[in-house]
């Protein structure tokens, strides 16, 4: 994140408008045609904008993409997310900003292939374009006044935890990172975390790498050993955040979790991202995504998260078959 | 000689049994002869009571007079002087509470079909080649003005400003422009090509529309001023859905109306080639009595729901929805449960809805709004079987701008506070539409956008001469 020497473009609002010519439209008398052409012009414009400039496979199911999105990059802060649509029939999905480069005007996303949209996204390569990208959204993670922090990441959640660890570390905060994965081949961002942490502890469920066990085991033993944290930041699967929060509650350590529910607009318009925090309804997209882990109703969030799972799986298979057929043809 | 028929000319509609299987527009609109015949019902009253009922004071008898004389383009132009979106307003305005409520003909029989005539004038004009000509614009004055939100408030403000010679940019958070007109109001009531056409006209005039741009996040209002915009109009609407705070509201299968409608209208979830999912439902209960509730219920019907209920806590007379929509909803087999209030949404065991526990109500004393407020009848609880519930009990403005713009004043409901010239508490920032009034109507939002444009123009010009 090259914060200091961010170049200020002369005018942020001058975007690439090649191919936008309205005059010929005036000759058309059938407005339906005009509408279609306008639609297409809008598409053309977007085509110039969100280009994938790097793609890296981090593990068999997790991929990194660096995308040109100068406006989002300019304002991005750790903890925020973007919403993207892969193509014109695509759904809007939220993805956390894993890194950003204000100079290059890019943001990095890291995603796990879980459904039709991430599958489609994954078929895009370097040089391809993303249809729509909006952001940065959500409230940035609060890092002020912290001196010593435990950052706990689980699975692909490490992608969200990493920029926060990086920022804290850069601000001189003592960072202890505990990152957990199912097994060795799923480990991601090890080098990045080790650079951004004063201490790094890697856990795997099967013990094939690092220590065997859950992130909560490691966190508990650190606390028991006498480490005193101002805050624990836990980001990963809901179940993991639930257990980390339960543990830290016992010790009375302030805990922040990052919620990642289903979203559509990301601007507070649909309410499908709602979660219960301290007995109140909150919208993760505008009130979060960070919340007090001791107040979040994780059980409800877990049940709400399962709503589209069946449909998702079917859609995912459909996309896979589609691409398979294309490849075979 | 005036047409003295006590009834409006009927408008042809798709048959209810057919239209519940598609999303095509329900009402076809008048043809030329019917429109002229309807126009002839107008008495061209001297004191023009209908005009007072119109929030933007369209010169109604004048445009109807032009239809009588078969000068349809001239009729359109008269409407256009006061309204930026005739095609939209003709279709969605609650005419029975505005112009048509005051119409003299309504005293004995039905009022003149002003809304239908407005729609007709637009349809006629829009099919003419001249509607594609770029009108003469004044020379650019070199000043930039920003508009936030592309709903009716933003679009009309942008349209006015560009006609005054400003260079105008509209910033829209979503990936398409149009606000509620595209994500909320369904295709069968307001075809999306019509909204696109209005937006196309604006772009053709030179308005730049930046989609995927959230003000308060992608840019702050401060950034806009820094980038040379001389004045800013906030038309960000009131999109944030309210919930009731009853038990079971977060169960799977409970949607806000906005979520349900957005999945359908914006994301086209009902279409085969769309990636956005929507759950199939059999019995669906919609809570609320406004246009939003009607739209959600009728969309549910079109998605194949067998039983669609509307649960409303007051009686039919108090329902804020457009009369025509209520009528259409009834024709389509929507079941209305008036004077009924939901007390709880019940869990079928796997965190999904299996019913709504309701209480019957009776009307008590009139409240401050003059409507008789409902009070529960003891012991009247019953369970309505439903596998999905849609909550349509109102919306408020989102916090994106108010939380990121220091010093901007809002009221208890989060609406921007403005004076009669749409000025907010910060110099150079104007606001209008649902963002100021809370959820209201298209015509009010449009009128405010227009008024704000005038005030912004005066402000910018005032600043230059100094
Ligand atoms: C389902 C439904 C049916 C309705 N039916 C009728 C009807 O029949 N008749 C009628 O008169 N009225 C109806 N209404 C109400 C009417 O649509 C609204 O009053 C009107 O659209 C308000 O216009 P607006 O321009 O103020 O806001 P909106 O139309 O809400 O537009 C606001 C726009 O601003 C965008 N935005 C919000 N925040 C930001 C930000 N920070 N940065 C950038 N963009 C932002 C939003 O995405 C949105 O596109 C209906 C409303 C709904 C939801
Ligand atoms: S009140 Fe009715 S009859 Fe009189 S001018 Fe208006 S529309 Fe015509
Ligand atoms: S994603 Fe729609 S309100 Fe949060």
């Amino acid at each position: 994140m090259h914060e200091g020497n961010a170049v200020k473009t002369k005018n942020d609002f001058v975007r690439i408008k090649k191919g936008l010519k309205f005059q010929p439209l005036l000759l058309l008398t059938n407005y339906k045609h005009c509408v279609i052409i306008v639609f297409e012009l809008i598409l053309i414009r977007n085509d110039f904008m969100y280009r994938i400039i790097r793609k890296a496979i981090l593990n068999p199911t997790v991929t990194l993409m660096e995308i040109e999105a100068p406006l989002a990059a300019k304002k991005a802060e750790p903890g925020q997310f973007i919403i993207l649509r892969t193509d014109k029939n695509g759904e809007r999905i939220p993805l956390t900003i894993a890194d950003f480069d204000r100079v290059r005007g890019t943001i990095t996303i890291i995603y796990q292939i879980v459904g039709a949209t991430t599958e489609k996204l994954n078929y895009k390569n370097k040089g391809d374009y993303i249809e729509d990208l909006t952001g940065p959204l959500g409230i940035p993670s609060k890092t002020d006044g912290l001196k010593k922090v435990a950052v706990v990441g689980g699975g692909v959640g490490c992608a969200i935890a990493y920029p926060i660890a990086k920022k804290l570390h850069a601000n001189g905060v003592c960072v202890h990172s505990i990152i957990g994965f199912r097994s060795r081949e799923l480990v991601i961002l090890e080098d990045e975390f080790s650079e951004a942490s004063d201490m790094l502890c890697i856990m795997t469920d099967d013990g094939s790498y690092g220590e065997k066990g859950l992130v909560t085991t490691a966190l508990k033993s650190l606390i028991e050993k006498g480490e005193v944290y101002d805050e624990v930041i836990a980001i990963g699967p809901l179940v993991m955040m639930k257990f980390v929060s339960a543990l830290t509650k016992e010790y009375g350590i302030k805990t922040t979790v990052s919620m990642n529910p289903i979203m559509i607009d990301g601007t507070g318009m649909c309410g499908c991202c709602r979660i219960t925090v301290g007995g109140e309804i909150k919208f993760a997209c505008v009130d979060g995504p960070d919340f007090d882990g001791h107040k979040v109703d994780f059980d409800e969030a877990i049940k709400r998260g399962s709503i589209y799972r069946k449909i998702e799986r079917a859609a995912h298979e459909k996309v896979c078959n589609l691409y398979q057929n294309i490849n075979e043809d | 000689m005036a047409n003295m028929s006590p009834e409006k000319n009927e408008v042809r509609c798709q048959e209810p049994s057919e239209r519940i299987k598609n999303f095509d527009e329900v009402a076809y609109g008048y043809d030329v002869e019917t429109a002229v015949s309807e126009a002839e019902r107008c008495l061209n009253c001297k004191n023009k009571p209908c005009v007072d009922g119109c929030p933007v004071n369209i010169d109604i008898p004048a445009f109807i007079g032009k239809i009588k004389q078969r000068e349809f383009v001239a009729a359109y132009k008269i409407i256009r002087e006061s309204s930026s979106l005739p095609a939209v307003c003709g279709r969605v305005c609650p005419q029975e509470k505005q112009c048509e409520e005051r119409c003299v003909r309504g005293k004995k029989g039905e009022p003149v079909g002003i809304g239908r005539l407005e729609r007709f004038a637009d349809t006629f004009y829009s099919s003419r080649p001249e509607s594609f000509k770029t009108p003469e614009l004044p020379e650019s004055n070199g000043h930039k003005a920003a508009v936030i939100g592309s709903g009716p408030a933003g679009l009309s403000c942008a349209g006015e400003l560009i006609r005054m010679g400003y260079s105008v940019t509209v910033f829209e958070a979503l990936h398409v422009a149009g606000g509620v007109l595209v994500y909320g109001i369904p295709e069968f009531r307001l075809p999306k090509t019509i909204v696109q056409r209005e937006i196309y006209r604006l772009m053709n005039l030179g308005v730049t529309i930046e989609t995927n741009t959230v003000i308060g996040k992608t840019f702050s209002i401060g950034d806009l001023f820094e980038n040379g915009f001389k004045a800013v109009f906030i038309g960000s609407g009131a999109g944030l859905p309210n919930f009731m705070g009853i038990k079971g509201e977060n169960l799977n299968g409970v949607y806000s109306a906005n979520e349900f409608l957005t999945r359908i209208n914006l994301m086209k979830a009902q279409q085969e080639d769309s990636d956005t999912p929507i759950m199939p439902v059999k019995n669906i209960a919609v809570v609320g009595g406004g246009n939003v509730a009607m739209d959600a219920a009728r969309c549910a019907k079109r998605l194949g729901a067998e039983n669609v209920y509307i649960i409303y806590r007051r009686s039919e007379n108090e329902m804020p929805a457009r009369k025509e929509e209520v009528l259409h909803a009834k024709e389509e087999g929507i079941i209305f449960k008036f004077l009924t209030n939901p007390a709880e949404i019940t869990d079928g065991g796997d965190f999904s809805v299996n019913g709504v526990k309701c209480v019957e109500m009776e009307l008590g004393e009139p409240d401050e709004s003059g409507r008789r407020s409902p009070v529960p009848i003891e012991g009247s609880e019953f369970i309505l079987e439903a596998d999905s519930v849609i909550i349509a009990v109102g919306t408020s403005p989102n916090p994106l701008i108010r939380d990121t713009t220091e010093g901007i004043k809002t009221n208890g409901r989060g609406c921007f506070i403005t004076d009669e010239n749409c000025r907010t508490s910060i110099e150079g920032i104007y606001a209008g539409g649902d963002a100021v009034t809370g959820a209201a109507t298209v015509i009010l939002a449009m009128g405010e956008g227009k008024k704000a444009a005038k005030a912004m123009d005066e402000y910018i010009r005032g600043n230059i001469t100094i």
Side-chain angles (χ1 to χ4, degrees), chain A residues 20 31 39 131 179 211 296:
Chain A
L20 269 184
Y31 81 78
F39 272 139
E131 178 83 20
I179 55 177
E211 303 278 315
V296 171

Side-chain angles (χ1 to χ4, degrees), chain A residues 12 44 61 89 99 159 181 196 199 201 212 245 247 254 279 294:
Chain A
D12 291 338
I44 292 170
T61 59
N89 295 323
D99 207 347
F181 304 91
M199 191 219 65
C201 170
K212 182 178 160 88
S245 301
L247 175 73
K254 182 178 174 215
H294 297 155

Side-chain angles (χ1 to χ4, degrees), chain B residues 35-298:
Chain B
V36 173
S37 153
E38 185 63 26
E40 277 167 356
R41 292 185 64 227
C42 172
L43 304 174
N44 194 12
C45 309
K46 275 261 140 46
N47 55 348
K48 307 180 183 182
C50 50
V51 177
D52 296 334
C54 173
V56 298
N57 305 116
I58 296 174
D59 192 343
I60 293 166
F63 98 76
I64 295 184
K66 290 291 175 200
I67 295 183
K68 273 188 218 170
Q69 295 160 11
R70 297 180 178 261
E71 290 178 30
F72 307 125
V73 172
Y76 172 84
K77 289 198 169 142
I78 292 172
I79 303 173
R80 191 62 189 70
E81 275 168 27
S82 321
S83 165
S84 317
L85 302 166
V88 177
C89 296
R91 287 174 169 83
V92 306
C93 269
Q95 287 96 1
E96 75 277 4
K97 290 193 202 102
Q98 302 177 5
C99 52
E100 294 184 17
E101 184 182 48
R102 314 273 183 101
C103 174
V104 171
R105 293 298 308 264
K107 293 202 176 118
K108 277 194 211 133
E110 289 185 331
V112 174
I114 302 171
R116 291 172 184 177
L117 289 173
E118 181 181 11
R119 171 176 167 178
F120 166 78
D122 174 86
T123 310
F124 187 91
Y125 171 77
S126 296
S127 65
R128 299 281 109 182
E130 64 182 286
S131 71
F132 292 96
K133 282 199 202 111
T134 315
E136 289 290 318
L137 287 184
E139 201 153 311
S140 158
N141 62 22
H143 296 295
K144 295 203 294 178
V147 171
I148 305 169
S150 61
L155 293 179
S156 73
C157 184
E160 291 302 310
L161 288 168
I162 196 107
R163 284 185 175 82
M164 294 171 186
Y166 291 93
S167 129
V168 186
T169 307
V170 178
F171 298 96
E172 168 56 50
L174 295 176
H175 60 271
V176 272
V180 168
L181 307 182
V182 292
Y183 77 70
I185 305 181
E187 179 78 21
F188 56 81
R189 208 144 73 74
L190 179 65
K192 299 306 149 230
T193 45
I194 286 177
V195 184
Q196 282 306 329
R197 188 185 73 201
E198 294 303 329
I199 290 163
Y200 154 72
R201 282 182 184 157
L202 282 183
M203 291 171 83
N204 200 16
L205 289 176
V207 173
T208 308
I209 299 187
E210 296 286 5
T211 49
N212 294 326
T213 312
V214 184
I215 303 302
K217 297 288 173 191
T218 320
F219 297 114
S220 66
I221 290 190
D223 294 337
L224 299 180
F225 285 116
E226 257 174 46
N227 275 279
F229 288 94
K230 293 281 188 296
V232 175
F233 174 73
I234 306 175
S236 53
L240 192 106
N242 300 340
F243 287 89
M244 292 177 292
I246 60 172
K247 201 172 160 220
E249 235 173 343
N250 290 347
L251 291 175
N252 289 336
V254 183
Y255 303 91
S256 77
N258 271 2
E259 177 184 352
F260 188 73
L261 290 167
T262 298
R263 283 182 188 272
I264 297 167
N265 297 325
L266 186 69
M267 307 311 295
K268 312 282 175 219
Q270 75 283 10
Q271 289 174 13
E272 194 39 37
D273 57 1
S274 168
D275 290 344
T276 303
I278 194 149
M279 287 294 186
V281 284
K282 212 168 133 208
N283 301 311
I284 190 160
V286 181
V287 184
N291 286 317
V292 187
M294 299 305 128
D295 286 345
R298 295 170 70 196

Side-chain angles (χ1 to χ4, degrees), chain A residues 83 262-274 283-286, chain B residues 240-241:
Chain A
I83 286 206
I262 297 169
M263 293 190 186
I264 302 179
D265 57 299
T267 65
M269 183 268 277
C270 71
C272 79
C273 64
R274 64 190 186 276
F283 289 4
C285 67
V286 287
Chain B
L240 192 106

Side-chain angles (χ1 to χ4, degrees), chain A residues 291-304:
Chain A
F291 292 98
D292 179 346
H294 297 155
K295 291 193 179 152
V296 171
D297 184 340
F298 286 105
D299 294 334
E300 180 186 274
I302 290 168
K303 289 176 196 150
R304 281 183 66 76

